[in-house]
């Protein structure tokens, strides 16, 4: 079987990212030296991307159970019960390296890939979100990358017709050479009609559907598991090319087929293409698979077994059908003008056997490929302790409104409208709250129920204190969902870090996963799916760590949800979660410190998970009971920024009382956690309810119809002035 | 005839993605579910209104609407229009109508070279007799969302003069509470929707099916569609 020219050596293995120990293990398990195709399969399956070898030990510490959980980590996506016999199926996934090399295609295929993960489970996707990190605004590549990534996300999502309803975007110089593009998809399915990937029934046909296989994206999973260097440009051929039109046809055809009771198991061809799909299906079923590679629909001639198995061409699926369902299925795929090809069968051998050109191109046991995948306990240490920053350490006497104007006009806080208006946020006509709100809200089609979603992470907190940062990402998502009145249900996570072989990076990963686990347990939002992206480094320099949380929740009646803009003049404005004695705030690791302090790394604001739960639940209950008619969580930029955002989005102004003592900037821009700005039509009732619940509440002032924001007696700015800088920043940046 | 007797057919191309949204919108107003007609069909059952929905028919490959305009079903739609039947094309549907010549002009890339999804103001114009504009108040602007990359309406000056002179301009972009530029895509003379010379075919870029309730953020889409449907009934 192995021709002389096809005898692999450790040198070959090393170019595919395998270590000496891993190479030795492959030889030992096979009892011989692998050929090129087999080595390619091992290296892909044992890549960090597919095997989670550095993170698995720590991922196991995350809570994954709960009465709401239908499907936890391990399938194509996670699933939670949202009531009415329905499940929300969702996952987030990174496409960082490809997006840096080729931003349009990298981002577009990131969206396409995560959508396939969701509709593979039998769910119709109903929403897309994303979490993006770019380099410094002034960096020479940033404009090109922002423009390309946004075009790519819109290019795929708009065309396939799934609304992009939310997301987050940050800029920091640590991402200059390694941007982060994380895409999340959320779908809906009947709870009893969820499709899984375990192959069943020896002898059943294995069917290839979708687009043809080409030479694009070969060994993408391995590229995603390596650091960047100056040679990265030469990796352009490993970036996949997306075709949202075929993606749309594939989605419709698969959903139509799934409604016909023909499919036994199904798996999308994502990272490592035909390799991971066939191996995972066989492995989960405890079976084997035999595939005739000459039958695989190919876009190019003379593709080798290695190329066919490692190609990451997009819009392809592998499925096991009921034996008598082949013709039903073929008719559906013919209708949609898609390839449909039986390429093999499920076997009892426990081996992956690939035939090509009349011979055997690969014959390896599936057990070792999956079960013997290395798992490392990489060295790590204690997170560094950070000094506390006192508000008085930053001296700045400028009026609050002056500070607001510069901060809101900075890329850290400016309006993301230039970005999100390039996304179709309304197709499917069920979007109730799209980009710009605290959480997005999408109605369950044909009902009053709503799905609430948000993506969140504050990398500067994670860098300063990875445990707090990992927990804070969950808490902020929890706050965002609570602020519209939704009950959080579960999370998906996307762990973006540098090289885990460096102890200081591994420490970030370990600590933030532990923090995330604490928060997920306290807030009752188990992890149901996720993705790990390591080696986010360029020339040895790591990114700011970024463990992104995507959270999904539910609201029984979308009519009860509130927004984050003022709704009527003369209503009282309160801050919930803050005592009326407060006359200062936490400026360490804040946006304010970044803009006006030194560039030291200080302790981030303390996080009290019990307070998060108590405050968030109180706000949610008050919203659902009609006691709060607008709410906004306090996050980047603190209290003053939250108030300004509520004003700018509504056109109303506000008159805010300021404390007579203490540190005014600390009070206005501190980023103390577990707080919300709210308005109400019945102040007495809200105050009484807060007292009874033991929640701090402080009246800040009143909504006005004067079109200006007024702090104290004589610090005033017009909303139009604020809007001009807020809306003008990113368009000006992108115009160059 | 009552609204529920109105027979509406919605054409579905591979890549259409507003077909369901339009179906739901029409059903909301008429209590009768429109027929969805697959593009490979060569004939069309009798219909009082044919709607070509938004989306990315054939992936917008070659040119927006170019391939859909040559689909088998379009011969039937052309026949329907030739008999005086009413046709409405929204967004990609408008692009398809221009490809077939059922309405004048063409739609090219937005002047900003970016996809744009947001609310726009829409000013009903004084037109020749048409079911799509008969019920609208001239002084009352509508707010309806757009979502497109190629909505920049173009025709040469002579043709624009002729279209305007004939009363074929159905809508122009207007200022709205949503802010942003009045003309979102560089369209000639702010044109957002045009009629055929007999007033029975309308192409427009904005999506009325996305402004059907307070939860959508507005009801002007429902208002426009209802007026059109009522005019077709009477």
């Amino acid at each position: 079987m192995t021709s002389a020219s096809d005898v692999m050596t450790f040198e070959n293995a090393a170019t595919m990212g395998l270590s000496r120990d891993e190479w030795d293990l492959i030889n030992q398990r096979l009892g011989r030296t692998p050929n090129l195709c087999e080595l390619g399969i091992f290296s892909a399956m044992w890549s960090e991307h597919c095997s989670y070898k550095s993170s698995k030990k720590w991922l196991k510490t995350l809570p994954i159970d709960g009465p709401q959980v239908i499907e936890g980590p391990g399938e194509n996506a996670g699933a939670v019960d949202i009531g009415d016999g329905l499940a929300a199926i969702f996952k987030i996934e990174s496409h960082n390296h490809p997006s840096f090399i080729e931003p349009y295609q990298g981002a577009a295929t990131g969206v396409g890939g995560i959508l396939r993960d969701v509709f593979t489970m039998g769910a119709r996707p109903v929403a897309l979100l994303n979490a993006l990190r770019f380099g410094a605004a002034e960096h020479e590549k940033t404009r090109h990358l922002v423009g390309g990534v946004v075009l790519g996300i819109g290019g795929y999502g708009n065309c396939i017709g799934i609304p992009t309803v939310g997301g987050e975007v940050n800029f920091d110089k640590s991402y200059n050479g390694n941007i982060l593009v994380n895409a999340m998809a959320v779908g809906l399915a009947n709870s009893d009609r969820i499709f899984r990937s375990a192959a069943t029934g020896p002898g059943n046909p294995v069917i290839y559907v979708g687009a043809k296989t080409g030479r694009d994206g070969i060994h993408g999973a391995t590229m995603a598991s390596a650091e960047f260097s100056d040679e990265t440009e030469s990796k352009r051929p490993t970036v996949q090319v997306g075709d949202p039109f075929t993606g749309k046809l594939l989605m419709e055809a698969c959903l139509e087929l799934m409604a016909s009771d023909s499919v036994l198991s199904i798996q999308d061809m994502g990272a490592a293409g035909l390799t991971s799909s066939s191996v995972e299906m066989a492995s989960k079923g405890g079976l084997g698979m035999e595939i005739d590679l000459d039958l695989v629909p190919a876009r190019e001639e003379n593709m080798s077994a290695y190329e066919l198995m490692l190609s990451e061409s997009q819009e392809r699926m592998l499925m096991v059908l009921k034996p008598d369902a082949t013709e039903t299925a073929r008719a559906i795929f013919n209708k949609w003008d898609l390839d449909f090809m039986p390429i093999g069968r499920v076997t009892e051998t426990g081996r992956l056997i690939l035939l090509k050109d009349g011979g055997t191109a690969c014959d390896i046991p599936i057990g070792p490929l999956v079960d013997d995948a290395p798992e490392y306990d990489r060295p790590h240490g204690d997170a560094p302790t950070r000094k506390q920053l006192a508000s008085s350490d930053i001296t700045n006497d400028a009026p609050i409104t002056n500070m607001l104007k510069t901060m809101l006009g900075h890329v850290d806080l400016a309006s993301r409208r230039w970005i999100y208006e390039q996304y179709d946020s309304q197709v499917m006509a069920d979007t109730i709250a799209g980009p710009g709100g605290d959480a997005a809200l999408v109605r369950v089609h044909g009902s009053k129920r709503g799905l609430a979603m948000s993506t969140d992470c504050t990398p500067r907190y994670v860098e300063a204190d990875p445990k707090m940062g990992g927990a804070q990402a969950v808490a902020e998502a929890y706050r965002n969902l609570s602020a519209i009145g939704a009950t959080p249900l579960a999370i998906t996570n996307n762990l973006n870090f540098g090289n885990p072989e460096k102890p200081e990076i591994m420490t970030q990963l370990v600590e933030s996963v532990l923090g995330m686990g604490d928060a997920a347990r306290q807030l009752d939002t188990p992890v149901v799916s996720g993705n790990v992206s390591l080696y986010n480094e360029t020339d040895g320099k790591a990114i700011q760590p970024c463990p992104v949380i995507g959270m999904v929740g539910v609201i029984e009646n979308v009519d009860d949800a509130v927004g984050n803009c003022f709704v009527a003049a003369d209503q009282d404005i309160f801050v919930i979660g803050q005592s009326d004695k407060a006359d200062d705030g936490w400026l360490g690791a804040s946006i304010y410190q970044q803009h006006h302090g030194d560039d030291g790394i200080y302790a981030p604001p303390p996080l009290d998970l019990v307070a998060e739960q108590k405050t968030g639940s109180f706000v949610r209950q008050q919203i659902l009971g009609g006691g709060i008619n607008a709410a906004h969580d306090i996050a980047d930029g603190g209290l003053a920024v939250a108030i300004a955002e509520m004003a700018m989005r509504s056109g109303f102004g506000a008159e805010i009382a300021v404390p007579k003592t203490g540190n005014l900037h600390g009070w206005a821009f501190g980023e103390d956690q577990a707080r919300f700005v709210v308005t109400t039509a019945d102040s007495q009732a809200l105050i009484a309810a807060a007292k009874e619940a033991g929640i701090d509440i402080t009246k800040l002032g009143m909504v006005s119809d004067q079109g200006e924001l007024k702090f104290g007696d004589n610090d005033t700015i017009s909303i139009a002035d604020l809007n001009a800088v807020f809306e003008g920043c990113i368009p000006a940046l992108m115009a160059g | 005839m009552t609204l529920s007797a109105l027979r509406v057919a919605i054409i579905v191309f591979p890549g259409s993605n507003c077909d369901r949204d339009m179906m739901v919108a029409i059903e909301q107003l008429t209590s009768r579910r429109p027929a969805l007609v697959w593009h490979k069909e060569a004939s069309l059952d009798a219909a009082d209104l044919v709607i070509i929905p938004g989306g990315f028919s054939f992936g917008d490959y070659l040119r927006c609407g170019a391939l859909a305009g040559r689909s088998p079903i379009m011969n039937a739609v052309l026949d329907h229009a030739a008999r005086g039947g009413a046709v409405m094309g929204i967004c990609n549907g408008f692009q398809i109508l221009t490809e077939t010549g059922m309405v004048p002009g063409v739609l090219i890339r937005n002047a900003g070279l970016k996809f744009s999804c947001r609310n726009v103001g829409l000013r009903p114009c004084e037109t020749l007799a048409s079911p799509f504009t008969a019920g609208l108040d001239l002084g009352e602007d509508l707010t309806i969302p757009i979502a497109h990359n190629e909505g920049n309406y173009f025709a040469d000056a002579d043709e624009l003069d002729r279209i305007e002179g004939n009363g074929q301009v159905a809508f122009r972009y207007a200022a709205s509470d949503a802010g942003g530029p009045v003309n979102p895509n560089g369209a000639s003379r702010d044109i957002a929707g045009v009629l055929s010379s007999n007033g029975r075919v309308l192409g427009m870029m904005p999506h009325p099916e996305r402004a059907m309730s307070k939860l959508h953020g507005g009801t002007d889409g429902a208002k426009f569609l209802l007026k059109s449907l009522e005019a077709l009934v009477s």
Side-chain angles (χ1 to χ4, degrees):
Chain A
M1 160 179 74
T2 304
S3 67
S5 63
D6 201 19
V7 172
M8 292 291 109
T9 63
F10 170 61
E11 282 65 40
N12 300 114
T15 64
M16 296 185 192
L18 289 164
S19 70
R20 170 69 75 174
D21 288 345
E22 290 165 356
W23 164 252
D24 290 342
L25 188 60
I26 293 168
N27 281 277
Q28 184 204 330
R29 286 292 187 269
L30 283 183
R32 60 176 168 81
T33 305
N35 65 25
L36 173 65
C37 177
E38 292 167 338
L39 183 62
I41 289 170
F42 269 99
S43 84
M45 291 308 298
W46 288 8
S47 70
E48 191 68 54
H49 190 86
C50 291
S51 74
Y52 299 93
K53 59 191 170 190
S54 300
S55 56
K56 212 187 299 178
K57 174 180 163 78
W58 301 100
L59 297 178
K60 287 177 188 162
T61 66
L62 290 169
I64 57 169
D65 296 318
Q68 70 273 48
V69 176
I70 295 173
E71 193 69 59
E75 278 295 333
N76 283 291
V80 292
D81 184 352
I82 62 159
D84 284 348
L86 292 171
I89 295 187
F90 61 98
K91 190 184 178 188
I92 191 167
E93 196 160 80
S94 64
H95 234 209
N96 304 335
H97 291 71
S99 299
F100 182 75
I101 298 169
E102 175 58 271
Y104 182 93
Q105 291 298 347
T109 53
V111 173
I114 198 64
L115 284 171
R116 275 197 307 284
D117 279 331
V118 165
F119 72 76
T120 303
M121 304 276 295
R124 178 167 285 278
V126 296
L128 286 163
L129 296 94
N130 52 64
L132 311 177
R133 301 293 182 299
F134 295 104
E138 60 277 10
H139 187 262
E140 56 182 6
K141 277 197 169 168
T142 298
R143 271 175 58 205
H144 157 73
L145 291 168
V146 172
V149 165
V150 171
L151 268 182
I153 290 173
Y156 206 102
N158 299 348
C159 180
I160 197 168
I162 312 297
T164 300
V165 297
E168 52 162 7
V169 185
N170 287 163
F171 298 83
D172 183 84
K173 63 181 187 309
S174 73
Y175 305 109
N176 282 351
N178 192 130
I179 61 172
L180 303 182
V181 175
N182 297 174
M184 172 171 168
V186 184
L188 286 169
N190 289 328
S191 303
D192 57 356
R193 294 286 295 165
I194 293 175
F195 289 82
R196 294 173 175 83
S197 56
T200 52
N204 283 336
V206 174
I207 314 284
Y208 171 116
V209 297
K212 294 184 198 306
T213 299
R215 288 194 169 93
D216 52 328
I218 288 178
H219 245 142
T222 303
M223 176 183 80
S225 308
E227 281 182 41
F228 268 177
S229 70
D230 292 338
E231 293 158 27
T232 300
E233 286 295 314
S234 70
K235 301 238 166 135
R236 203 180 290 270
T238 56
V239 177
Q240 311 87 328
V241 178
D243 176 0
F245 174 58
T246 304
K248 163 84 172 162
L249 303 185
L250 184 63
M251 176 174 78
E252 297 299 340
C254 286
L255 292 174
E256 192 175 328
L257 177 62
M258 286 163 162
S260 77
D261 202 28
S262 306
V263 179
L264 288 172
S265 53
I266 178 165
Q267 169 83 32
D268 91 297
M269 293 193 221
L274 195 47
T275 291
S276 68
S277 53
S278 58
V279 170
E280 281 174 25
M281 290 178 87
S283 155
K284 284 181 184 156
L287 294 163
M289 205 173 272
E290 185 177 297
I291 292 174
D292 185 347
L293 291 177
D294 293 324
L295 297 175
V296 171
R299 202 165 59 213
E300 299 169 54
E301 288 182 4
N302 299 321
M303 288 185 68
S304 68
Y306 171 84
E307 289 171 327
L308 287 166
M309 289 305 289
L310 276 304
S311 163
E312 290 190 7
S313 289
Q314 299 289 292
E315 289 85 33
R316 303 177 300 156
M317 292 273 190
L318 200 62
M319 51 176 113
V320 177
L321 291 182
K322 290 184 176 169
D324 55 356
T326 307
E327 289 319 306
T328 309
R330 190 193 302 276
I332 290 171
F333 281 83
N334 282 348
K335 171 187 162 187
W336 292 97
D337 295 322
L338 292 167
D339 270 305
F340 176 94
M341 183 60 74
I343 59 168
R345 60 190 178 89
V346 179
T347 68
E348 280 177 314
T349 61
R351 301 183 76 81
L352 179 68
I353 294 175
L354 304 174
L355 308 174
K356 181 118 191 6
D357 302 326
T360 304
C362 161
D363 181 356
I364 49 182
I366 287 180
L369 258 182
V370 178
D371 303 335
D372 291 354
E375 179 177 333
Y376 298 127
D377 183 3
R378 301 224 187 255
H380 56 96
D382 295 328
T385 41
R386 306 295 185 186
K387 266 201 319 202
Q388 218 168 297
L389 178 76
S391 305
S392 54
D393 291 344
I394 303 176
T395 46
N396 188 323
D397 295 332
I400 289 175
T401 57
N402 285 24
M403 306 300 288
L404 257 184
K405 196 171 170 182
T406 45
M407 288 169 74
L408 289 171
H410 189 281
V411 74
D412 287 338
L413 293 172
S415 167
R416 271 54 177 146
R417 186 185 301 273
W418 184 93
I419 294 169
Y420 65 69
E421 284 191 348
Q422 295 189 55
Y423 306 146
D424 189 336
S425 55
Q426 303 169 328
V427 61
M428 300 184 88
D430 283 316
T431 303
I432 309 299
D438 279 25
L441 180 60
V442 171
R443 178 174 54 187
V444 172
H445 191 67
S447 85
K448 278 286 185 190
R449 197 173 289 259
L451 279 181
M453 299 153 268
S454 178
T455 53
D456 294 283
C457 182
T458 312
R460 62 180 189 280
Y461 293 169
V462 188
E463 180 180 47
D465 178 347
K467 192 165 187 189
M468 177 276 178
Q472 194 272 345
V474 184
E476 186 170 343
Y478 183 86
R479 241 179 273 151
N480 279 328
L481 265 65
S482 300
I484 69 165
T487 304
L489 288 175
I491 56 180
T492 180
N493 60 15
N494 206 140
L495 308 177
N496 305 278
F497 293 90
N499 180 348
E501 295 161 44
K502 296 178 183 171
E504 68 274 20
I505 302 294
M506 199 59 208
T507 303
Q508 292 176 342
L509 191 155
V510 171
E511 292 287 318
S512 57
V513 168
L514 292 176
M516 187 180 288
D518 288 346
R521 270 182 291 272
Q522 178 66 39
L523 302 176
D524 192 21
T525 53
V527 182
V528 296
S529 61
N531 171 246
V532 180
S533 173
L534 303 177
Y535 299 95
N536 289 292
E537 304 208 350
T538 302
D539 297 329
K541 210 163 171 317
I543 57 158
Q544 225 174 31
C546 190
V548 173
I549 292 297
M551 185 177 281
V552 171
V554 71
I555 184 166
E556 294 286 324
N557 186 339
V558 290
D559 291 330
D560 295 337
V562 302
N564 62 358
C565 44
F566 295 139
V567 291
D570 300 329
Q571 293 196 333
D572 285 339
I573 305 170
F574 290 90
V575 55
I576 291 183
Q578 176 169 314
S579 132
D580 56 11
K581 310 278 187 305
D583 61 0
D584 198 349
W586 194 283
L587 291 177
S590 68
I591 294 279
Y592 180 91
Q593 184 219 318
Q594 279 199 339
H595 289 190
H596 303 290
D598 60 31
D599 54 10
I601 299 178
Y602 296 97
L607 186 70
D608 177 344
L609 290 168
V610 174
E612 292 286 353
Q613 184 173 38
K614 228 171 112 179
T615 315
S617 300
F618 175 74
V619 168
R620 184 184 322 122
Q621 283 154 13
Q622 287 298 313
I623 290 170
L624 297 179
I628 287 174
N629 54 26
H632 190 14
D633 95 298
I634 299 178
D636 283 358
L639 180 67
V641 165
I643 295 168
E645 287 172 343
M646 294 179 84
M648 288 188 295
R649 290 189 179 118
S650 65
F652 288 109
E655 290 177 14
I656 305 296
V658 298
K660 306 219 170 357
T661 56
N663 185 301
L664 205 51
H665 284 187
W667 173 83
F669 303 110
E671 294 182 5
D672 302 75
Q673 301 290 295
R675 295 183 300 157
F676 297 82
V677 178
V678 304
T679 61
T680 178
D682 187 347
S683 301
Q684 294 314 314
L686 184 64
I687 293 168
K691 290 234 160 83
E692 188 173 329
I695 305 269
D696 283 331
I697 182 167
T698 303
K699 184 176 164 180
L700 289 172
M702 197 180 265
V703 180
S704 82
D705 52 11
Q706 295 300 306
E708 55 187 30
L709 203 51
K710 190 171 179 190
F711 288 90
D713 295 330
N714 40 30
D715 181 10
T716 304
I717 190 166
S718 84
I719 302 298
D721 277 0
L722 284 180
N723 248 321
V725 296
F726 183 65
E727 295 293 350
C729 171
I730 291 186
L733 167 70
M734 295 308 295
Chain B
M1 188 159 74
T2 61
L3 277 179
S4 62
L6 204 66
R7 296 161 302 178
V8 178
I10 298 172
I11 310 297
V12 184
F13 298 96
S16 294
N17 61 29
C18 302
D19 42 332
R20 185 194 73 175
D21 305 351
M22 184 55 88
M23 181 183 81
V24 170
I26 298 292
E27 192 175 3
Q28 175 187 324
L29 300 173
T30 65
S31 306
R32 174 174 172 150
R33 177 162 290 201
L36 294 177
V37 183
W38 186 234
H39 72 115
K40 288 180 184 173
E41 302 288 332
S43 65
L44 194 59
D45 289 342
D48 302 300
L49 171 64
V50 173
I51 300 179
I52 308 182
F56 289 69
S57 58
F58 294 94
D60 275 357
Y61 296 146
L62 185 61
R63 190 172 63 239
C64 303
L67 297 170
R70 286 149 186 85
S71 263
I73 191 64
M74 287 311 291
N75 290 323
V77 175
L78 282 164
D79 289 347
H80 166 84
R83 292 192 299 269
V87 180
M88 180 194 292
I90 306 294
C91 197
N92 187 228
F94 186 9
Q95 293 162 348
I96 294 167
L97 290 178
T98 64
E99 280 289 330
T100 60
M102 293 167 77
V103 293
V106 294
L107 292 152
I108 59 176
R109 267 194 88 183
N110 294 349
L113 303 181
K114 292 196 303 288
F115 188 95
S116 181
C117 175
R118 64 181 184 87
N119 270 330
V120 295
L122 211 54
R123 176 157 301 163
C125 301
E126 200 161 350
T127 64
L128 54 96
S130 167
F132 300 114
T133 51
L136 297 176
D137 295 326
L138 289 179
E140 213 173 301
D141 291 355
L142 306 171
T143 300
I144 296 184
I146 53 163
H148 61 245
N149 199 35
E150 286 90 2
N152 181 351
Y153 186 76
F154 181 82
D156 64 34
D158 287 348
E159 184 162 23
L160 288 169
D161 289 345
R162 192 175 55 76
I163 296 165
E164 286 181 336
N166 289 346
Q168 286 177 252
V169 175
F171 297 107
R172 292 184 207 271
Y173 296 108
S176 85
D177 293 345
V182 169
N183 182 332
N185 51 31
S188 302
R189 302 186 190 177
D190 299 333
I191 292 173
V194 293
L195 295 166
S196 59
S197 57
N198 69 356
R200 301 289 293 173
V201 182
L202 166 72
M204 63 189 282
M205 288 315 296
H207 286 270
E209 77 280 10
R210 298 183 182 189
M212 298 296 295
S213 73
K214 269 189 164 171
L215 287 168
H216 280 158
T219 56
D220 283 356
K223 183 169 151 185
F224 157 70
L225 287 175
L226 185 61
K227 296 285 184 191
S228 297
L229 296 169
E230 284 173 348
L232 288 167
V233 164
S234 62

